[in-house]
């Protein structure tokens, strides 16, 4: 089961957030912004302290209740997908979400890069795709 998706722009701002599961705690919009900024900072620090030069920072954070996967694009945009720890094929799902983002957000002539994502076609296709797994 997939719980939530966060898309963080290269400056650390929250560009998109969507919950896929009922019963999740409702955060205020300010709390979502703090969450995105905090992860962005921790990700930057972990990339610097990595023993392997050129590594990108946190890719997976796992607890007994959830797993947070991070996929960073070459442009610095981060996709955070929160899922059940037993969920398999997360990398394939992340790749498909990135394809949907590329097709419906980045090719949208009305979207300004680094700004909040408000694209109905992206929402529709994302929800349909995630429902096929949940």
């Amino acid at each position: 089961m997939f719980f939530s998706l966060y898309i963080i722009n290269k400056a650390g701002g929250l560009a998109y957030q969507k919950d896929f599961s009922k019963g999740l705690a409702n955060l205020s919009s300010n709390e979502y912004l703090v969450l995105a900024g905090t992860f962005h900072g921790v990700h930057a620090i972990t990339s610097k302290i990595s023993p392997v030069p050129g590594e990108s920072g946190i890719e997976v954070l796992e607890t007994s209740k959830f797993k947070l996967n991070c996929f960073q694009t070459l442009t610095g945009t981060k996709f955070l997908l929160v899922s059940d720890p037993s969920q398999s094929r997360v990398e394939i799902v992340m790749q498909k979400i990135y394809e949907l983002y590329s097709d419906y957000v980045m090719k949208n002539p009305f979207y300004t890069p680094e700004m909040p994502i408000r694209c109905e076609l992206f929402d529709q296709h994302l929800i349909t795709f995630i429902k096929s797994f949940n």
Side-chain angles (χ1 to χ4, degrees):
M1 173 170 267
F2 294 102
F3 302 123
S4 300
L5 173 70
Y6 302 87
I7 300 176
I8 302 172
N9 65 28
K10 66 181 174 187
L14 184 65
Y16 184 83
Q17 188 279 325
K18 179 68 80 182
D19 291 329
F20 304 114
S21 181
K22 303 248 189 264
L24 296 176
N26 289 329
L27 301 178
S28 69
S29 57
N30 192 45
E31 289 170 321
Y32 283 122
L33 294 172
V34 170
L35 175 71
T38 301
F39 185 85
H40 178 73
V42 170
H43 188 273
I45 291 168
T46 57
S47 68
K48 293 194 189 278
I49 64 171
S50 172
V52 180
E55 284 298 308
S56 67
I58 292 176
E59 292 179 4
V60 178
L61 186 126
E62 189 169 354
T63 73
S64 61
K65 304 290 182 193
F66 70 90
K67 186 190 298 188
L68 184 142
N69 288 273
C70 176
F71 170 70
Q72 181 172 323
T73 68
L74 294 174
T75 62
T77 301
K78 293 172 198 64
F79 291 77
L80 306 180
L81 185 62
V82 182
S83 67
D84 185 89
S86 63
Q87 182 67 48
S88 61
R89 303 184 306 189
V90 175
E91 292 80 17
I92 295 168
V93 172
M94 296 284 278
Q95 184 63 39
K96 180 63 177 176
I97 290 171
Y98 180 58
E99 288 175 20
L100 292 171
Y101 169 81
S102 298
D103 287 344
Y104 297 105
V105 177
M106 296 309 294
K107 293 178 183 176
N108 181 345
F110 301 107
Y111 175 68
T112 303
E114 305 304 311
M115 295 305 290
I117 298 168
R118 296 191 190 353
C119 180
E120 193 172 321
L121 283 175
F122 176 65
D123 279 339
Q124 291 171 355
H125 285 87
L126 175 65
I127 290 168
T128 301
F129 174 68
I130 293 296
K131 281 184 178 179
S132 70
F133 280 89
N134 281 351

